[in-house]
Amino acid sequence: MRLVLLGPPGAGKGTQAQFVAAERRVPKISTGDIFRANVSRGTELGVAAKKYMDAGDLVPDEVTIEMVRDRLGEEDCAHGFLLDGFPRTVPQAEVLGEILTEHGHPPVDVVLELVVDDDEVVRRLSGRRTCRTCNRVWHVDFDPPEVDNVCDVDRGELYQRDDDREEVVRHRLDVYAEQTAPLVAYYAQRGVLVGLDATGPVDDVTLRAIDALRRFA
Ligand code: ADP
Ligand code: AMP
């Protein structure tokens, strides 16, 4: 299954991606995680991406698209994948369709849109903590780790993302509305969009997501 998770920052894409990808037995590909790994390693890609990420802007399409093209060409993507955070613009969606055609695959099978309102997004992002080593996301109130600032999974240190500061969050929501929200209509027209109520406890959202995907085999 070739699956895309769509939704504003803080909707819970990364949270759900880890469970849904495991259930569907496909690799989870998070463009945000790949960019952050490159920033912390100080690679050329990381240096190119950092100023956009810090400002809450999208990294330019040509940079992002080449990175995803390389990743989707890897062996583990041959039988499917789950994309978290890509595509985020109509040109990215167009190129994704082209990449899949080049690899002899049908276009994306399903786009799961996680629907939550802006106030909930701000609440979620202001308490988000991320593991420095495994990227698992936590929330100080809604999904706290057993020990403050320590990841339950691998005991890694948790940190707060720079772009989760309130003024950057507001800007990221504007960027989502302008550049990414048009993908809802784009994929609806292609008959692959499934809207999902992403409010309520994490486990409830996971069950709803898995249930929605059953219809797609
Ligand atoms: P995204 O990948 O869409 O930006 P995340 O998955 O990182 O969003 O989630 C943002 C924050 O919200 C995290 O701190 C996460 O623990 C929390 N969160 C995710 N899903 C829920 C939920 N259903 N209820 C409450 N908090 C949630
Ligand atoms: P995320 O972890 O998905 O919230 O992404 C963090 C940041 O990485 C975004 O605010 C962008 O700056 C950048 N980014 C991630 N995915 C993309 C994408 N598909 N296109 C452009 N920029 C992206």
Side-chain angles (χ1 to χ4, degrees):
M1 171 175 275
R2 293 171 182 86
L3 170 64
V4 168
L5 291 190
L6 188 63
K13 299 182 297 298
T15 301
Q16 297 304 328
Q18 59 205 355
F19 302 121
V20 173
E23 211 268 340
R24 303 301 310 200
R25 296 196 181 85
V26 290
K28 165 181 99 92
I29 301 169
S30 158
T31 44
D33 284 351
I34 300 175
F35 280 133
R36 279 184 291 278
N38 277 277
V39 169
S40 62
R41 292 204 309 271
T43 67
E44 203 178 316
L45 177 65
V47 171
K50 188 174 186 317
K51 61 177 182 291
Y52 300 100
M53 297 173 75
D54 286 348
D57 287 319
L58 296 183
V59 177
D61 280 347
E62 48 290 8
V63 176
T64 307
I65 285 168
E66 283 320 301
M67 177 179 90
V68 173
R69 187 189 294 282
D70 288 349
R71 181 65 188 89
L72 293 182
E74 287 176 30
E75 180 60 33
D76 63 335
C77 295
H79 302 294
F81 50 76
L82 182 158
L83 283 168
D84 157 18
F86 184 93
R88 260 170 150 111
T89 63
V90 171
Q92 290 182 11
E94 299 277 13
V95 174
L96 175 60
E98 289 164 21
I99 294 172
L100 293 178
T101 308
E102 280 165 27
H103 291 170
H105 299 312
V108 167
D109 297 307
V110 50
V111 176
L112 205 55
E113 183 203 0
L114 273 57
V115 181
V116 288
D117 65 33
D118 283 6
D119 288 343
E120 177 66 11
V121 156
V122 172
R123 273 195 293 277
R124 289 184 183 185
L125 292 183
S126 60
R128 170 159 66 184
R129 298 291 182 272
T130 306
C131 177
R132 225 176 257 293
T133 41
C134 75
N135 296 317
R136 163 73 152 90
V137 284
W138 300 91
H139 191 283
V140 289
D141 299 315
F142 306 141
D143 188 15
E146 277 175 23
V147 179
D148 281 355
N149 295 317
V150 178
C151 180
D152 288 2
V153 177
D154 65 355
R155 303 280 138 202
E157 180 203 6
L158 304 188
Y159 74 101
Q160 181 165 26
R161 282 170 46 174
D162 284 345
D163 60 351
D164 282 347
R165 281 176 293 123
E166 185 162 344
E167 64 278 17
V168 184
V169 165
R170 299 270 167 212
H171 180 61
R172 286 162 66 207
L173 287 173
D174 290 343
V175 168
Y176 180 81
E178 278 165 30
Q179 301 192 51
T180 308
L183 292 180
V184 173
Y186 178 94
Y187 282 119
Q189 274 162 14
R190 284 156 182 78
V192 292
L193 187 84
V194 177
L196 190 81
D197 171 10
T199 59
V202 170
D203 292 353
D204 290 3
V205 180
T206 306
L207 289 178
R208 256 177 252 146
I210 288 172
D211 195 49
L213 294 175
R214 286 222 172 90
R215 283 184 280 138
F216 296 85

